[in-house]
Amino acid sequence: MTTTASGTTVTKTPTTFTAGKPDLVRESLVMVRRNLIHTKRQPEMLSDVTVQPIMFVLLFAYVFGASINPGSGFDYKEWLLPGIMGQTIAFSAFIVALGLTNDLEKGIIDRFRSLPMAKWSVLVGRSVAALIHSSIGIVVMALTGLLIGWRIHEGVPKAILAFALVLLFGFAMIWFGILIGSVMKTPEAVNGVMFTLLFPITFLSNAFVPTAPMPGWLQAIAEWNPISSLVQSMRELWGNGPAAPADAPWPLQNPELSTVLWSIGLTLVFAPFALRAYRKRTTD
């Protein structure tokens, strides 16, 4: 409340949060905006979804592509793009984990707790911002792919379904990121844990090479990897690769349904532990 020179009293209302009942949707959108502004002011944070995916596309397409045959006459560049996209969306967990740990370590979450805002809006905002962050990488890779010869051959509806599956799986991975970000105490610990876990998961799949030449036990692990289901669904929906052979396991025979089930299952597993870990971390 301020008083003007004429003696008139003017009441100023807060522009972000107001006292009273918390509004999860509105306050989550404020958190999304806050995280995106942070990215805007530090554009180097986008390197993991701009420079790195382009580097992977070019390296695998032109360095390893000549020695890798995806089979059935498909071009490796087209076959590769869904794999790179699967890897990038899996790393959305890394983004949310690192951002959440930074906020916890710097005491920013404690400041938010002192405000009349919904407790979970921080997580919702961080999750949506991480999904937007990763979606930028998907767009960048799609544009890069178009430049090197990647195309979508199966029509708009199937193309949209494939992108929707990518985002659905990314949502599941975000809960894994929230769990790690709530448990780890420092960004350095997050870096170590996430690289140790995510790199084997993404490479031990059909993302970059066919699984058929792998040893039997390793092939079984790769084919039941949820990343493989996601990548196989994108390849079939975009017409970038052959359908799974008749002797392939169920997840590769039904990749779209398998991706949906994996996404729901991982969310149901990770979300309760993530919420519990975040609650414990912010109430200690």
Side-chain angles (χ1 to χ4, degrees):
M1 187 179 299
T2 59
T3 303
T4 63
S6 62
T8 304
T9 300
V10 179
T11 302
K12 293 184 177 180
T13 57
T15 58
T16 304
F17 300 107
T18 57
K21 186 177 180 180
D23 184 339
L24 178 61
V25 175
R26 181 175 61 86
E27 290 157 7
S28 297
L29 291 175
V30 172
M31 290 292 102
V32 173
R33 182 173 179 271
R34 175 250 176 187
N35 292 323
L36 293 179
I37 289 175
H38 187 62
T39 301
K40 178 182 177 182
R41 291 176 178 174
Q42 291 183 296
E44 64 273 12
M45 293 175 62
L46 290 173
S47 64
D48 62 325
V49 292
T50 53
V51 178
Q52 291 180 22
I54 292 174
M55 180 182 67
F56 270 106
V57 169
L58 297 179
L59 281 176
F60 275 88
Y62 291 106
V63 177
F64 302 111
S67 59
I68 299 175
N69 179 18
S72 301
F74 285 89
D75 181 70
Y76 181 72
K77 297 183 184 70
E78 290 198 343
W79 191 85
L80 171 68
L81 256 293
I84 300 288
M85 291 187 183
Q87 181 194 52
T88 299
I89 204 66
F91 271 79
S92 59
F94 197 141
I95 299 163
V96 71
L98 195 58
L100 182 59
T101 302
N102 270 317
D103 284 349
L104 288 165
E105 184 188 37
K106 295 176 181 178
I108 296 174
I109 300 298
D110 292 330
R111 297 180 186 179
F112 290 151
R113 290 174 60 203
S114 68
L115 298 172
M117 59 183 287
K119 181 177 182 180
W120 304 117
S121 61
V122 174
L123 295 185
V124 175
R126 174 67 66 182
S127 301
V128 174
L131 207 55
I132 294 173
H133 185 97
S134 296
S135 298
I136 294 172
I138 299 299
V139 173
V140 170
M141 281 183 291
L143 295 175
T144 305
L146 291 173
L147 292 176
I148 66 171
W150 172 72
R151 297 293 184 270
I152 294 174
H153 303 284
E154 297 296 327
V156 175
K158 289 186 177 181
I160 293 175
L161 176 58
F163 283 115
L165 290 174
V166 172
L167 295 179
L168 178 64
F169 188 79
F171 179 77
M173 293 303 297
I174 280 170
W175 283 108
F176 175 64
I178 292 174
L179 174 60
I180 299 299
S182 299
V183 172
M184 296 294 103
K185 302 298 183 182
T186 65
E188 292 76 15
V190 170
N191 277 320
V193 170
M194 296 303 274
F195 271 111
T196 302
L197 294 176
L198 291 180
F199 261 100
I201 290 174
T202 54
F203 279 91
L204 188 54
S205 69
N206 64 356
F208 304 107
V209 296
T211 58
M214 297 179 182
W217 63 272
L218 195 61
Q219 180 181 355
I221 294 174
E223 291 176 338
W224 282 89
N225 185 336
I227 299 290
S228 294
S229 300
L230 173 63
V231 173
Q232 182 66 25
S233 66
M234 285 189 284
R235 284 176 180 147
E236 292 187 14
L237 289 170
W238 289 335
N240 294 155
D247 59 346
W250 185 88
L252 297 187
Q253 293 283 357
N254 306 273
E256 295 90 353
L257 178 58
S258 178
T259 299
V260 172
L261 294 178
W262 269 118
S263 300
I264 294 173
L266 291 173
T267 300
L268 292 176
V269 170
F270 291 135
F273 289 104
L275 293 174
R276 181 179 179 182
Y278 177 78
R279 186 186 300 114
K280 184 176 185 298
R281 181 78 177 271
T282 56
T283 54
D284 285 346

Short mmCIF file of all heavy atoms in Angstrom, two decimals, residues 21-46:
data_model
loop_
_atom_site.label_atom_id
_atom_site.label_comp_id
_atom_site.label_asym_id
_atom_site.label_seq_id
_atom_site.Cartn_x
_atom_site.Cartn_y
_atom_site.Cartn_z
N LYS A 21 -5.81 -19.73 -0.79
CA LYS A 21 -5.70 -21.11 -1.23
C LYS A 21 -4.76 -21.22 -2.43
O LYS A 21 -4.92 -20.50 -3.41
CB LYS A 21 -7.09 -21.62 -1.62
CG LYS A 21 -7.09 -23.11 -1.97
CD LYS A 21 -8.50 -23.57 -2.28
CE LYS A 21 -8.50 -25.06 -2.64
NZ LYS A 21 -9.87 -25.53 -2.93
N PRO A 22 -3.76 -22.12 -2.38
CA PRO A 22 -2.84 -22.28 -3.50
C PRO A 22 -3.57 -22.74 -4.76
O PRO A 22 -4.56 -23.46 -4.70
CB PRO A 22 -1.86 -23.35 -3.00
CG PRO A 22 -1.97 -23.31 -1.51
CD PRO A 22 -3.40 -22.96 -1.23
N ASP A 23 -3.09 -22.31 -5.90
CA ASP A 23 -3.63 -22.68 -7.20
C ASP A 23 -2.54 -23.44 -7.95
O ASP A 23 -1.61 -22.83 -8.48
CB ASP A 23 -4.05 -21.42 -7.96
CG ASP A 23 -4.72 -21.74 -9.29
OD1 ASP A 23 -4.52 -22.84 -9.81
OD2 ASP A 23 -5.43 -20.86 -9.80
N LEU A 24 -2.66 -24.77 -7.97
CA LEU A 24 -1.60 -25.61 -8.51
C LEU A 24 -1.31 -25.29 -9.98
O LEU A 24 -0.16 -25.17 -10.38
CB LEU A 24 -1.96 -27.08 -8.35
CG LEU A 24 -0.95 -28.09 -8.93
CD1 LEU A 24 0.40 -27.96 -8.25
CD2 LEU A 24 -1.48 -29.52 -8.78
N VAL A 25 -2.36 -25.14 -10.78
CA VAL A 25 -2.17 -24.92 -12.21
C VAL A 25 -1.47 -23.59 -12.47
O VAL A 25 -0.46 -23.52 -13.18
CB VAL A 25 -3.52 -24.97 -12.96
CG1 VAL A 25 -3.32 -24.61 -14.43
CG2 VAL A 25 -4.14 -26.35 -12.83
N ARG A 26 -2.01 -22.52 -11.89
CA ARG A 26 -1.43 -21.20 -12.13
C ARG A 26 0.00 -21.11 -11.62
O ARG A 26 0.88 -20.58 -12.30
CB ARG A 26 -2.29 -20.12 -11.46
CG ARG A 26 -1.79 -18.70 -11.68
CD ARG A 26 -2.76 -17.69 -11.09
NE ARG A 26 -2.91 -17.87 -9.66
CZ ARG A 26 -2.08 -17.31 -8.75
NH1 ARG A 26 -1.07 -16.56 -9.16
NH2 ARG A 26 -2.28 -17.50 -7.47
N GLU A 27 0.24 -21.65 -10.45
CA GLU A 27 1.58 -21.55 -9.86
C GLU A 27 2.57 -22.48 -10.57
O GLU A 27 3.76 -22.17 -10.65
CB GLU A 27 1.49 -21.84 -8.37
CG GLU A 27 0.77 -20.72 -7.62
CD GLU A 27 0.16 -21.16 -6.30
OE1 GLU A 27 0.40 -22.31 -5.90
OE2 GLU A 27 -0.57 -20.35 -5.70
N SER A 28 2.08 -23.60 -11.10
CA SER A 28 2.95 -24.46 -11.90
C SER A 28 3.38 -23.75 -13.18
O SER A 28 4.54 -23.85 -13.61
CB SER A 28 2.23 -25.77 -12.25
OG SER A 28 1.93 -26.51 -11.08
N LEU A 29 2.46 -23.01 -13.79
CA LEU A 29 2.80 -22.24 -14.98
C LEU A 29 3.83 -21.16 -14.67
O LEU A 29 4.71 -20.87 -15.49
CB LEU A 29 1.54 -21.62 -15.59
CG LEU A 29 0.54 -22.60 -16.21
CD1 LEU A 29 -0.71 -21.88 -16.67
CD2 LEU A 29 1.17 -23.36 -17.37
N VAL A 30 3.72 -20.57 -13.48
CA VAL A 30 4.73 -19.59 -13.06
C VAL A 30 6.09 -20.26 -12.94
O VAL A 30 7.12 -19.70 -13.36
CB VAL A 30 4.33 -18.93 -11.72
CG1 VAL A 30 5.46 -18.06 -11.19
CG2 VAL A 30 3.07 -18.09 -11.89
N MET A 31 6.13 -21.49 -12.41
CA MET A 31 7.38 -22.22 -12.29
C MET A 31 7.95 -22.59 -13.66
O MET A 31 9.16 -22.55 -13.87
CB MET A 31 7.17 -23.49 -11.45
CG MET A 31 6.90 -23.24 -9.97
SD MET A 31 8.35 -22.57 -9.11
CE MET A 31 7.89 -20.84 -9.01
N VAL A 32 7.06 -22.95 -14.58
CA VAL A 32 7.52 -23.24 -15.95
C VAL A 32 8.17 -22.00 -16.54
O VAL A 32 9.26 -22.06 -17.13
CB VAL A 32 6.33 -23.69 -16.83
CG1 VAL A 32 6.79 -23.81 -18.29
CG2 VAL A 32 5.79 -25.03 -16.35
N ARG A 33 7.49 -20.87 -16.39
CA ARG A 33 8.03 -19.61 -16.94
C ARG A 33 9.36 -19.27 -16.29
O ARG A 33 10.31 -18.85 -16.97
CB ARG A 33 7.03 -18.47 -16.70
CG ARG A 33 7.46 -17.13 -17.27
CD ARG A 33 6.33 -16.11 -17.14
NE ARG A 33 6.73 -14.82 -17.66
CZ ARG A 33 7.32 -13.87 -16.94
NH1 ARG A 33 7.56 -14.07 -15.65
NH2 ARG A 33 7.66 -12.72 -17.50
N ARG A 34 9.46 -19.48 -15.00
CA ARG A 34 10.71 -19.19 -14.29
C ARG A 34 11.85 -20.04 -14.82
O ARG A 34 12.97 -19.56 -15.07
CB ARG A 34 10.50 -19.44 -12.79
CG ARG A 34 11.76 -19.31 -11.94
CD ARG A 34 12.22 -20.66 -11.42
NE ARG A 34 13.46 -20.56 -10.69
CZ ARG A 34 14.14 -21.61 -10.24
NH1 ARG A 34 13.70 -22.83 -10.44
NH2 ARG A 34 15.28 -21.44 -9.59
N ASN A 35 11.60 -21.34 -15.04
CA ASN A 35 12.64 -22.23 -15.54
C ASN A 35 13.04 -21.90 -16.97
O ASN A 35 14.21 -21.99 -17.34
CB ASN A 35 12.17 -23.68 -15.44
CG ASN A 35 12.04 -24.15 -14.00
OD1 ASN A 35 12.82 -23.78 -13.14
ND2 ASN A 35 11.03 -24.95 -13.73
N LEU A 36 12.06 -21.52 -17.79
CA LEU A 36 12.36 -21.18 -19.18
C LEU A 36 13.14 -19.87 -19.26
O LEU A 36 14.03 -19.71 -20.11
CB LEU A 36 11.07 -21.08 -19.99
CG LEU A 36 10.31 -22.41 -20.18
CD1 LEU A 36 9.04 -22.19 -20.98
CD2 LEU A 36 11.19 -23.46 -20.85
N ILE A 37 12.81 -18.92 -18.39
CA ILE A 37 13.57 -17.66 -18.35
C ILE A 37 15.02 -17.94 -17.95
O ILE A 37 15.97 -17.36 -18.49
CB ILE A 37 12.92 -16.66 -17.39
CG1 ILE A 37 11.60 -16.15 -17.99
CG2 ILE A 37 13.85 -15.49 -17.10
CD1 ILE A 37 10.82 -15.25 -17.04
N HIS A 38 15.18 -18.86 -17.00
CA HIS A 38 16.54 -19.24 -16.57
C HIS A 38 17.33 -19.81 -17.74
O HIS A 38 18.51 -19.49 -17.93
CB HIS A 38 16.43 -20.27 -15.45
CG HIS A 38 17.74 -20.60 -14.81
ND1 HIS A 38 18.51 -19.68 -14.14
CD2 HIS A 38 18.43 -21.77 -14.73
CE1 HIS A 38 19.61 -20.25 -13.68
NE2 HIS A 38 19.59 -21.52 -14.02
N THR A 39 16.68 -20.63 -18.56
CA THR A 39 17.33 -21.20 -19.74
C THR A 39 17.65 -20.11 -20.76
O THR A 39 18.71 -20.10 -21.39
CB THR A 39 16.44 -22.27 -20.39
OG1 THR A 39 16.18 -23.30 -19.43
CG2 THR A 39 17.12 -22.87 -21.61
N LYS A 40 16.72 -19.16 -20.92
CA LYS A 40 16.92 -18.06 -21.87
C LYS A 40 18.14 -17.24 -21.49
O LYS A 40 18.90 -16.79 -22.35
CB LYS A 40 15.67 -17.19 -21.91
CG LYS A 40 15.78 -15.99 -22.83
CD LYS A 40 14.51 -15.15 -22.78
CE LYS A 40 14.65 -13.90 -23.66
NZ LYS A 40 13.43 -13.05 -23.59
N ARG A 41 18.34 -17.02 -20.20
CA ARG A 41 19.46 -16.20 -19.74
C ARG A 41 20.77 -16.97 -19.73
O ARG A 41 21.84 -16.37 -19.65
CB ARG A 41 19.15 -15.66 -18.35
CG ARG A 41 18.01 -14.64 -18.35
CD ARG A 41 17.65 -14.18 -16.97
NE ARG A 41 16.59 -13.17 -17.01
CZ ARG A 41 15.99 -12.67 -15.94
NH1 ARG A 41 16.33 -13.11 -14.71
NH2 ARG A 41 15.04 -11.76 -16.06
N GLN A 42 20.68 -18.30 -19.79
CA GLN A 42 21.88 -19.13 -19.88
C GLN A 42 21.73 -20.08 -21.06
O GLN A 42 21.51 -21.28 -20.89
CB GLN A 42 22.10 -19.91 -18.58
CG GLN A 42 22.48 -19.04 -17.39
CD GLN A 42 22.75 -19.86 -16.15
OE1 GLN A 42 21.87 -20.54 -15.61
NE2 GLN A 42 23.98 -19.82 -15.69
N PRO A 43 21.84 -19.57 -22.27
CA PRO A 43 21.58 -20.40 -23.46
C PRO A 43 22.50 -21.59 -23.60
O PRO A 43 22.19 -22.53 -24.32
CB PRO A 43 21.75 -19.41 -24.62
CG PRO A 43 22.57 -18.28 -24.06
CD PRO A 43 22.19 -18.19 -22.62
N GLU A 44 23.63 -21.58 -22.90
CA GLU A 44 24.52 -22.73 -22.97
C GLU A 44 23.86 -23.98 -22.37
O GLU A 44 24.31 -25.11 -22.63
CB GLU A 44 25.83 -22.44 -22.24
CG GLU A 44 25.71 -22.19 -20.74
CD GLU A 44 25.44 -20.73 -20.40
OE1 GLU A 44 25.11 -19.96 -21.32
OE2 GLU A 44 25.54 -20.38 -19.21
N MET A 45 22.80 -23.79 -21.59
CA MET A 45 22.07 -24.93 -21.04
C MET A 45 21.38 -25.75 -22.13
O MET A 45 21.00 -26.89 -21.90
CB MET A 45 21.03 -24.45 -20.02
CG MET A 45 21.62 -23.84 -18.76
SD MET A 45 20.34 -23.17 -17.67
CE MET A 45 19.42 -24.64 -17.28
N LEU A 46 21.22 -25.15 -23.31
CA LEU A 46 20.56 -25.85 -24.42
C LEU A 46 21.54 -26.70 -25.23
O LEU A 46 21.12 -27.35 -26.19
CB LEU A 46 19.88 -24.84 -25.35
CG LEU A 46 18.65 -24.12 -24.79
CD1 LEU A 46 18.20 -23.04 -25.75
CD2 LEU A 46 17.51 -25.12 -24.55
#
